[in-house]
Amino acid sequence: MTDTVNSLNGIPIRLPDERWQHIIQRHADIADRKDLVLGAIAAPERLLAGNEGALMAIQTLEIGKWLVVIYKETQQDGFVVTAFSTRKANSLNRRQQLWL
């Protein structure tokens, strides 16, 4: 099964079960946060420029800890690359902010 959510640009972003399983194998701390991952794409607190044209949707998990969802989109569709939590605010703040 594939979950799909529209990005800020109205582009459907896919999160297939295979990709989700891959993400939670590496980042078990967000295993129960799939809805938050999808919600971060639809309504991020911040949207940052990622590497190689990727977008980074940011959502606060708790004070000093953020969920980062990296995804790519074209004019017609997109897909989730990965998601993880981080406490590295400086790393996020160095990126170009696309939306706040």
Side-chain angles (χ1 to χ4, degrees), residues 21-40:
Q21 292 304 314
H22 178 78
I23 291 169
I24 63 175
Q25 283 177 357
R26 294 176 183 241
H27 310 286
D29 61 316
I30 61 168
D32 62 344
R33 306 270 176 115
K34 188 175 186 179
D35 288 342
L36 190 58
V37 167
L38 295 170

Side-chain angles (χ1 to χ4, degrees), residues 7 13 26 41 50 53 57-58 66 71 75 77-79 86 94 96:
S7 70
I13 307 298
R26 294 176 183 241
I41 296 168
I58 310 299
W66 298 272
Y71 65 96
Q75 292 182 346
D77 78 340
F79 58 92
T86 186
R94 283 193 296 259
Q96 178 186 7

Side-chain angles (χ1 to χ4, degrees), residues 16-94:
D17 279 345
E18 173 275 333
R19 174 55 51 183
W20 178 244
Q21 292 304 314
H22 178 78
I23 291 169
I24 63 175
Q25 283 177 357
R26 294 176 183 241
H27 310 286
D29 61 316
I30 61 168
D32 62 344
R33 306 270 176 115
K34 188 175 186 179
D35 288 342
L36 190 58
V37 167
L38 295 170
I41 296 168
E45 292 174 2
R46 297 169 64 193
L47 186 65
L48 307 176
N51 296 333
E52 300 176 11
L55 300 170
M56 300 172 69
I58 310 299
Q59 198 77 281
T60 301
L61 289 173
E62 60 188 51
I63 295 173
K65 187 174 183 180
W66 298 272
L67 172 67
V68 179
V69 182
I70 299 176
Y71 65 96
K72 288 192 170 188
E73 65 179 30
T74 66
Q75 292 182 346
Q76 297 180 349
D77 78 340
F79 58 92
V80 174
V81 175
T82 192
F84 56 89
S85 64
T86 186
R87 293 186 181 277
K88 298 179 180 177
N90 289 339
S91 175
L92 298 176
N93 292 335
R94 283 193 296 259

